Amino acid sequence: MITNTLHSISDQNQQRFNISQEGTRAEMASSSLCALLLAAFACHCHAAAAYRRPHAIGVNYGNLGDDLPTAARSVKLLRKAHAGAVKLYNADQRILHALAGTGIPVSVMVPNDIVPSLADSRAAAREWVDNNIKRHPRVRVMYLLVGNELLSYPALAASTWGKIVPAMKNLRHALHAIGRGRVKLGTPLAMDALAASYPPSAGAFREDIAGPVMRPLLDFLNHTRSYYFVDAYPYFPWAANQKDISLDYALFEGNASSHYVDPATRLTYTNLLDQMLDACIAAMDKLGYGGVKLAISETGWPNAGDPGQAGANVRNAALYNRHLARRMHKKLGTPARPRSNMPVFVFALYNEDLKPGAGTERHWGMFYPNGTWVYQVDLTGRRTVRSYPPLPPPDGQTGKLEWCVLAGGGKPLNETAVALALNYACGQGTGTCAAIQPGGACYEPNTLDAHASYAINAYWQQFKAKGGSCYFNGLAVKTNKDPSYLSCKFPSY
């Protein structure tokens, strides 16, 4: 539903400026827009029992919540939703034990902070694999994901970005050593890996990562027949750009009047997710790797949020995931790759009340912590959307003017972290920090906090339509109170 106006994309995860393994979703939209599709999970020689949902969508299983069901109960709920696979944010031993013998395909994530050590030492990689994969011979591990949205954190550029592929190579060697050579390796990337995504044919990676990071990564994925894993959330660009993107288009319900034709390829787009996915394909093609397969490591829609967070409700969440499952069941692919078959993981199994950030961050689940449905969904996609019980009516919420400023209410903040946020914001976009340069309308007061608030807001206003986040590792917060003063005007769109 970026009908005719999605221009470039620049972050889907600066909210992932925070280095948590399972980052926040709404503010995690501090990046671009990208995504992946489908869910076909081939047999694995270590599966103890044949799981009968090979083409169903998978589910992200996070555990940042109070009183969540046990791992054994969670496996039953995965089956209740007919999940085709499950993705874990770490090698949680209790969950892996509960999955043993089920035949459910599993994706396991390696924590961000140990990626450099795994890259530097084959012995360390072998030890990690022995402790977390080898010890669970009856778990059907399909994917091993190295880090989570690492390229969304500029602070990790020097220490970690160049270590991603070496870590993958060492882990692959370790997997072969224990007879698990069929496990595919990858790394989930947010949409902020793209510098442009509109029109889809203009998709291109950021200049800072295209050559030194993406080219070797894509070469590894191509050589090992693995996937480019992308986190793609149509909710964020729609919520930030409702005048130009129709809700129906974002929910796979758009009619012909909302369809978009890429002027370069003449391909017709019927929904926003396909645009995001094909922008990723175009970006890979520009580096000579247009044949690398796609997988959607995260997608979904929030079922609730704070006042003013438009469209975050049970009805829209149910419609998005039900339509998504139907599309994957039909193997429609995307306009650039029709009939393609891609793994897909929807976010998430549960609402997680311990996640930081805006209200939407805690409301992506199919199930409440007590194990009851937030809304019913058959992830095989065999059930038609009309066959479900009636949904609540739309809430009718519309967005209000918002600004993104430093949090803290005047309380002291870590100066190093604030300076890092300021530098990051000023390094993005066009003219982001012009007003706080000497002589600019917002130069005075010439303080770190004042300049950082302006820069963070200017950054967010430029990129929120493309997934840009108002988070900055917990330093920033949204407000409906205009922070402008005298001749200094904070933009709000």
Side-chain angles (χ1 to χ4, degrees):
M1 207 185 0
I2 275 187
T3 53
N4 292 352
T5 59
L6 254 191
H7 298 292
S8 63
I9 295 178
S10 161
D11 317 301
Q12 190 197 23
N13 273 42
Q14 206 268 253
Q15 152 197 34
R16 308 288 191 127
F17 185 71
N18 132 12
I19 304 177
S20 64
Q21 252 334 79
E22 182 195 349
T24 56
R25 220 58 39 193
E27 316 277 278
M28 167 195 107
S30 129
S31 294
S32 303
L33 316 165
C34 206
L36 326 177
L37 286 102
L38 279 164
F41 301 94
C43 290
H44 189 283
C45 59
H46 293 278
Y51 191 56
R52 301 298 182 184
R53 307 286 178 187
H55 298 294
I57 289 177
V59 177
N60 283 273
Y61 178 0
N63 54 14
L64 298 179
D66 287 316
D67 301 321
L68 294 181
T70 64
R73 171 62 173 155
S74 297
V75 170
K76 292 181 180 179
L77 293 177
L78 288 169
R79 291 187 179 278
K80 185 175 183 179
H82 301 153
V86 61
K87 175 167 159 272
L88 310 180
Y89 286 90
N90 54 61
D92 188 300
Q93 301 299 304
R94 295 168 302 171
I95 299 175
L96 290 170
H97 179 75
L99 289 165
T102 64
I104 298 175
V106 180
S107 174
V108 179
M109 187 174 287
V110 175
N112 287 357
D113 57 355
I114 69 170
V115 171
S117 64
L118 299 182
D120 293 339
S121 170
R122 275 196 173 184
R126 178 63 184 268
E127 181 180 9
W128 192 92
V129 167
D130 285 350
N131 290 339
N132 297 290
I133 305 298
K134 183 179 180 180
R135 71 185 299 181
H136 297 285
R138 298 175 63 238
V139 175
R140 188 183 175 190
V141 179
M142 300 294 289
Y143 308 113
L144 187 57
L145 302 180
V146 180
N148 192 36
E149 298 185 344
L150 289 166
L151 302 186
S152 297
Y153 308 118
L156 298 181
S159 65
T160 308
W161 289 1
K163 303 287 187 177
I164 297 172
V165 173
M168 287 181 175
K169 291 180 177 179
N170 285 345
L171 287 166
R172 185 167 184 256
H173 184 270
L175 289 166
H176 276 278
I178 65 168
R180 294 286 194 113
R182 294 188 181 184
V183 174
K184 298 295 185 183
L185 288 109
T187 186
L189 299 177
M191 285 302 299
D192 61 355
L194 298 187
S197 66
Y198 179 84
S201 59
F205 292 112
R206 300 187 333 241
E207 290 186 5
D208 62 325
I209 63 172
V213 183
M214 293 309 304
R215 193 178 298 279
L217 173 60
L218 292 173
D219 187 69
F220 176 86
L221 299 178
N222 184 60
H223 176 72
T224 59
R225 300 180 181 273
S226 190
Y227 299 84
Y228 178 104
F229 287 88
V230 63
D231 293 351
Y233 289 92
Y235 168 75
F236 294 112
W238 169 79
N241 208 12
Q242 297 172 50
K243 292 182 180 179
D244 300 309
I245 302 177
S246 80
L247 179 60
D248 288 345
Y249 188 78
L251 295 175
F252 305 102
E253 294 188 321
N255 56 33
S257 65
S258 67
H259 294 174
Y260 173 71
V261 178
D262 189 307
T265 63
R266 306 309 301 168
L267 294 174
T268 298
Y269 289 86
T270 63
N271 65 84
L272 180 53
L273 180 61
D274 281 355
Q275 286 192 228
M276 298 164 72
L277 297 176
D278 279 359
C280 295
I281 294 171
M284 291 192 289
D285 188 58
K286 287 179 173 63
L287 292 184
Y289 293 94
V292 172
K293 297 178 290 185
L294 274 180
I296 301 177
S297 40
E298 290 184 15
T299 191
W301 196 280
N303 58 62
D306 294 329
Q309 289 192 287
N313 56 58
V314 170
R315 179 184 182 83
N316 291 343
L319 288 175
Y320 181 86
N321 285 334
R322 290 170 183 177
H323 283 302
L324 178 70
R326 289 289 291 171
R327 288 184 62 81
M328 298 310 122
H329 173 67
K330 294 177 180 178
K331 300 185 179 71
L332 297 177
T334 71
R337 288 185 182 174
R339 309 303 300 174
S340 59
N341 197 18
M342 295 176 274
V344 176
F345 292 86
V346 70
F347 191 86
L349 185 60
Y350 298 117
N351 281 347
E352 299 171 70
D353 66 332
L354 297 182
K355 297 191 70 175
T360 50
E361 293 302 323
R362 294 173 286 282
H363 296 91
W364 293 85
M366 298 182 300
F367 292 98
Y368 293 108
N370 64 7
T372 61
W373 286 109
V374 176
Y375 53 85
Q376 293 184 32
V377 61
D378 175 4
L379 295 178
T380 66
R382 294 175 182 148
R383 186 171 180 179
T384 64
V385 174
R386 293 184 178 180
S387 69
Y388 290 95
L391 288 168
D395 60 11
Q397 280 192 4
T398 57
K400 301 176 182 179
L401 285 180
E402 288 184 310
W403 293 265
C404 178
V405 297
L406 278 182
K411 297 179 181 178
L413 296 173
N414 183 293
E415 289 190 4
T416 300
V418 172
L420 185 62
L422 170 64
N423 291 336
Y424 179 87
C426 290
Q428 311 297 313
T430 303
T432 306
C433 292
I436 57 175
Q437 301 304 311
C442 300
Y443 179 71
E444 296 293 346
N446 181 18
T447 66
L448 176 62
D449 285 4
H451 284 186
S453 266
Y454 181 88
I456 286 171
N457 179 71
Y459 159 87
W460 182 64
Q461 298 295 347
Q462 283 192 51
F463 296 115
K464 64 182 180 181
K466 303 152 182 100
S469 163
C470 176
Y471 187 67
F472 286 83
N473 202 24
L475 291 173
V477 65
K478 294 177 186 176
T479 179
N480 296 120
K481 183 179 179 180
D482 188 351
S484 301
Y485 57 92
L486 300 177
S487 60
C488 176
K489 303 301 180 185
F490 279 53
S492 180
Y493 311 122

